Amino acid sequence: MATVPDQPARPAPPHDRSRGRDLTKGPILRTLLFFSAPTLASNILQSLNGSVNAVWVGRLLGPSALAATANANVVMFLVFAAVFGFGMAATVKVGQAFGAGNVDAARRTFGTAVGFCIGLSALVAGAGWVFAPHLLHAMSTPGEVFDLALAYLRVIFIAMPASMLTVMIGMGLRGAGDAQTSLRFMIVSVLLDVALNPLFIAGIGPFPRMGIAGSALASAIASYLSMAGLLVYVYARNLPLRLRGAEVSYLIPARSELRYIFTKGLPMGAQMLIISMAGIIMVGLANRQGATASAAYGASLQVWSYLQMPAMAISAALSAMAAQAIGARLPERLGRITRAGLILNLSITGLMTVLLLLFDRPVLQLFLGPQSPAVDLARHIQFLASWSFVLFGITIVLFGTMRAGGVVLAPLVVLAIALYPVRLGFYALLFPRIGADALWLSFPVGSVAAVTLATFAYSRKGWREKALAVSLVPREAALAPATAA
């Protein structure tokens, strides 16, 4: 009997918002550019929010309070690394389901992810409040900032459920092709946070004077109001992942869905932890070079955080697009999506790097001051290491496509090798000969190793075949009508 070739499900009518956005149609480069732009804007807003709040705390409460927030933020990053991994796994599976036209499967995955996130965030918030002193002791938080850090950290843990849930919902919506909604409510959260910080810190007008705890409370209020607004918007606009009626039971995590989110999410979260730990080691090595080197490296990190943002945003958007292509059984589209991501990364990150190197002095003086002796050293660091973030972007883009196919262990291994034995090994071998330059040059050396290994892993055909074989829902389910709105 002749077989009929499988065909992707027909796209939903453009006015039916409950069916999500089809990322498998249209010009790839243009779609990726406009789809990644909201994520990039969200990343920039988050960084600016942290910078502005740091200014409020530093100006109103002094350097000890600022150091306290830095200690607390290390803990927050570790928690959100895990949430990122689980959320990214949900993004991929939701994207595959939408690509296959199976909205109900996407809602099942999303429900499990959100239900799991609610339980995890409640557990983390409670445990964090109780064990916050132990965490700060484990981090060797200086005694003069310990009480301030404790007050800040405990209130931040109260905000944790809202922050984690907002991130999870936003990443799920991205899998459904919607990157705009989370940006809208990120803007709301940032504006509220920046406006409320000085009011609660200094007790302006009717607001109580709460010091550093007021900064954390402002963040908590902004997080909960933004989360509430996001939920209202999702239902009011009938966005694709809203759960109604019997679908609310999807919030009870299903074993099969939870298994996927765990097995794929933990390695993705571990990638963030590996990067974070490597960063902490590099800060320690820079501190050994003296106060001037420490300040110069700190300013460089501020600049580099912005250089990394385009690649991270492109990679996240690319994962959703590639996941939908896999779900729609369009394997030939994966290579084109990856090429578009590489073009965008080379264009945007490359341009930013060139501009930085051309105007590095005024940029670095923003952080160090015009008279600082660290400015010249920071410029030297920039010229040796900044270009490596173009290579970093290539690596992250390749990982984005592989992640959409469920490949999570290879990127973890690549990062572990590049950031530890290669980067640190280069530093250890060359430091006796060339001094501190071995530290700055270890960045491009590690990046070359990472992009080489990532290219080799990406070029292997096995992961594509496996993704198309096991990641797709059956054709009959893919063509079935979605659950009624």
Side-chain angles (χ1 to χ4, degrees):
M1 180 181 295
T3 59
V4 178
D6 288 330
Q7 297 294 329
R10 290 184 303 171
H15 64 275
D16 185 1
R17 297 180 65 87
S18 69
R19 298 302 297 266
R21 179 185 177 188
D22 188 353
L23 298 174
T24 66
K25 307 294 182 183
I28 291 176
L29 183 60
R30 182 176 182 275
T31 300
L32 182 59
L33 174 61
F34 286 101
F35 187 50
S36 61
T39 303
L40 176 58
S42 294
N43 292 344
I44 293 174
L45 279 173
Q46 284 182 310
S47 293
L48 290 175
N49 185 33
S51 298
V52 172
N53 286 349
V55 170
W56 285 130
V57 171
R59 292 290 180 89
L60 296 176
L61 298 174
S64 293
L66 187 59
T69 63
N71 278 265
N73 287 336
V74 170
V75 178
M76 294 301 101
F77 180 86
L78 296 177
V79 173
F80 275 96
V83 177
F84 170 84
F86 296 136
M88 201 67 243
T91 297
V92 168
K93 203 156 190 286
V94 166
Q96 289 179 359
F98 267 98
N102 193 336
V103 180
D104 186 66
R107 289 173 182 162
R108 288 179 182 273
T109 297
F110 180 69
T112 290
V114 170
F116 171 70
C117 182
I118 291 172
L120 177 64
S121 63
L123 178 64
V124 168
W129 178 276
V130 173
F131 295 106
H134 305 282
L135 287 171
L136 294 173
H137 280 302
M139 294 168 57
S140 301
T141 303
E144 61 270 22
V145 303
F146 184 90
D147 290 339
L148 292 171
L150 180 60
Y152 182 85
L153 184 58
R154 277 184 159 164
V155 179
I156 285 294
F157 270 116
I158 294 175
M160 184 68 67
S163 300
M164 291 174 67
L165 188 58
T166 300
V167 169
M168 186 65 74
I169 293 173
M171 297 184 81
L173 290 174
R174 187 186 301 141
D178 179 3
Q180 294 283 349
T181 297
S182 58
L183 172 61
R184 293 188 181 102
F185 288 92
M186 171 62 68
I187 294 172
V188 171
S189 179
V190 168
L191 291 177
L192 285 172
D193 197 0
V194 170
L196 291 175
N197 249 268
L199 302 181
F200 280 107
I201 291 174
I204 299 173
F207 297 91
R209 182 184 180 90
M210 299 179 63
I212 193 169
S215 177
L217 180 60
S219 297
I221 292 173
S223 295
Y224 276 101
L225 289 178
S226 177
M227 181 198 70
L230 175 59
L231 290 173
V232 170
Y233 185 88
V234 165
Y235 280 88
R237 302 285 293 191
N238 194 32
L239 296 188
L241 295 180
R242 89 291 177 276
L243 304 178
R244 284 200 175 103
E247 294 171 342
V248 175
S249 65
Y250 295 168
L251 291 172
I252 301 174
R255 181 176 297 181
S256 60
E257 301 286 355
L258 201 56
R259 185 185 301 116
Y260 181 92
I261 290 173
F262 257 99
T263 56
K264 303 301 181 182
L266 284 176
M268 292 183 199
Q271 292 175 35
M272 300 294 291
L273 293 178
I274 283 178
I275 293 173
S276 176
M277 291 171 62
I280 291 172
I281 291 173
M282 298 302 283
V283 168
L285 294 175
N287 289 342
R288 292 183 182 181
Q289 308 307 311
T292 300
S294 180
Y297 184 66
S300 297
L301 286 178
Q302 291 288 333
V303 174
W304 290 343
S305 67
Y306 290 94
L307 283 184
Q308 296 176 69
M309 286 181 186
M312 299 296 288
I314 293 167
S315 179
L318 185 147
S319 289
M321 289 184 65
Q324 287 200 14
I326 290 172
R329 305 186 182 193
L330 299 171
E332 72 283 354
R333 193 172 172 88
L334 292 179
R336 295 163 58 198
I337 291 173
T338 305
R339 285 193 293 274
L342 293 174
I343 291 171
L344 278 184
N345 169 69
L346 291 172
S347 301
I348 299 175
T349 307
L351 177 61
M352 290 178 62
T353 302
V354 170
L355 291 175
L356 168 65
L357 295 179
L358 289 175
F359 302 101
D360 59 324
R361 182 177 291 277
V363 171
L364 293 168
Q365 285 177 346
L366 290 175
F367 300 101
L368 297 169
Q371 306 302 322
S372 173
V375 170
D376 288 335
L377 178 56
R379 295 185 68 205
H380 178 69
I381 294 172
Q382 295 297 314
F383 278 101
L384 291 181
S386 291
W387 62 272
S388 69
F389 289 97
V390 178
L391 300 181
F392 167 84
I394 295 174
T395 302
I396 296 302
V397 166
L398 296 177
F399 286 169
T401 305
M402 296 171 68
R403 183 168 55 214
V407 180
V408 291
L409 291 180
L412 181 63
V413 172
V414 168
L415 287 176
I417 293 173
L419 295 179
Y420 292 93
V422 173
R423 180 193 281 182
L424 295 180
F426 176 87
Y427 164 78
L429 288 174
L430 272 295
F431 182 77
R433 299 182 181 180
I434 62 176
D437 279 354
L439 183 58
W440 324 132
L441 288 172
S442 70
F443 280 91
V445 170
S447 294
V448 169
V451 76
T452 302
L453 293 172
T455 301
F456 172 76
Y458 176 83
S459 65
R460 294 170 64 91
K461 295 181 179 179
W463 70 267
R464 294 178 181 83
E465 296 170 355
K466 184 178 179 181
L468 293 170
V470 303
S471 297
L472 301 176
V473 296
R475 182 172 184 266
E476 291 79 6
L479 298 179
T483 301

